Amino acid sequence: MNYPDDYNVPTFAAGKSIAVSRAMGIGIMSGFLIIIFLCGLLIWTIRSARVEPYILSTGGTNDEWMVIKPGDTQLKLEMTHDQVIQESLVWKFIQDWFTISSDADTNEEAWDTSCARTDCYTTDGSTPCKLYCVTSDGLFTRFKENILPTYLALFESKEFWTPEKNNIRIAPVGTIGIAGGTWRIQVPVLTNNGTMDIMAYVKVARDIKAYPNTMGYHIADFNAYRMDK
């Protein structure tokens, strides 16, 4: 006989209530087991989930967009520390070269022609002789003789230039190595007369003794062209 279902007789009046309690107990325990199973399944799902983002890469002379899919082993976005240092140097140099500020002191800090290499070894956070300290002697001489007189005349006539630093496009040309390399730059420059679109090529070289603050990297040569729309 099945207890307590088959014992629902007048002499055992509690048999029915005991059967109901047992059924409820079985249901509750089953519910707990299901909840425990679902929690375990949820934890396993979270731990096994992987984030595989798509990477959007932009750059180059035409601002080409490239989508790099997860698991694509043929495309790699890798830069050595030498490339990172060089790109940072070029990025800052382009801003200093094409800036004509309304503040005379700011211009003097960048254009100072009385500098010596010892002036570049600063440790107090100051940045004197901005262009001189990152360029070769030949390039700075060219700037001083050919470019600076024009910049001073523009400043006197209250024409000011501001590169759009968030829109500077820098791309390597050929191989970039520990000894340096060539970089191509596109930069829009805001002026009183509108925006100039500049295409430039920068040659980076290395001389540890002369340029210790930039790991020896400096701008050895530079050519820029205005792009007409």
Side-chain angles (χ1 to χ4, degrees):
M1 298 179 65
N2 186 19
Y3 177 84
D5 297 332
D6 293 340
Y7 285 82
N8 187 20
V9 294
T11 56
F12 191 64
K16 186 175 182 179
S17 60
I18 292 175
V20 173
S21 298
R22 185 185 69 169
M24 292 180 63
I26 293 173
I28 292 172
M29 291 303 298
S30 299
F32 279 132
L33 291 175
I34 293 174
I35 292 173
I36 293 172
F37 172 76
L38 292 176
C39 288
L41 182 62
L42 179 62
I43 293 173
W44 176 82
T45 302
I46 293 174
R47 289 185 175 181
S48 61
R50 294 184 301 171
V51 177
E52 295 183 339
Y54 282 73
I55 301 175
L56 295 178
S57 174
T58 182
T61 57
N62 296 316
D63 286 342
E64 302 95 342
W65 285 86
M66 179 186 299
V67 179
I68 301 177
K69 300 179 181 179
D72 192 340
T73 58
Q74 295 181 351
L75 295 174
K76 295 182 179 180
L77 293 179
E78 296 181 354
M79 291 188 70
T80 66
H81 68 281
D82 297 301
Q83 290 175 312
V84 172
I85 295 172
Q86 291 180 51
E87 184 169 335
S88 176
L89 174 67
V90 170
W91 188 74
K92 292 177 181 177
F93 164 77
I94 286 295
Q95 293 179 67
D96 292 334
W97 185 280
F98 286 110
T99 293
I100 302 178
S101 174
S102 59
D103 179 46
D105 291 337
T106 300
N107 293 331
E108 176 62 23
E109 188 178 61
W111 303 341
D112 193 350
T113 59
S114 63
C115 301
R117 289 297 165 199
T118 53
D119 296 325
C120 302
Y121 307 154
T122 60
T123 58
D124 59 358
S126 61
T127 55
C129 310
K130 282 186 176 181
L131 285 177
Y132 175 80
C133 288
V134 298
T135 56
S136 66
D137 292 337
L139 178 57
F140 189 76
T141 298
R142 208 170 81 205
F143 169 79
K144 180 171 62 176
E145 295 178 352
N146 301 332
I147 306 298
L148 185 55
T150 301
Y151 279 12
L152 292 173
L154 290 173
F155 175 76
E156 291 297 328
S157 64
K158 299 188 181 303
E159 180 170 338
F160 310 120
W161 293 5
T162 304
E164 292 188 27
K165 62 181 181 179
N166 293 330
N167 290 320
I168 296 176
R169 299 286 183 263
I170 303 176
V173 178
T175 301
I176 305 297
I178 191 172
T182 301
W183 298 82
R184 181 179 61 241
I185 303 96
Q186 276 187 285
V187 52
V189 179
L190 301 179
T191 75
N192 300 50
N193 300 313
T195 301
M196 296 189 302
D197 290 319
I198 304 296
M199 171 77 78
Y201 290 87
V202 172
K203 182 179 180 180
V204 177
R206 197 175 195 191
D207 184 341
I208 294 292
K209 293 183 179 179
Y211 305 89
N213 286 1
T214 54
M215 300 295 290
Y217 291 112
H218 62 282
I219 310 301
D221 199 8
F222 172 70
N223 290 285
Y225 314 91
R226 182 169 180 175
M227 302 171 62
D228 294 327
K229 294 184 178 180

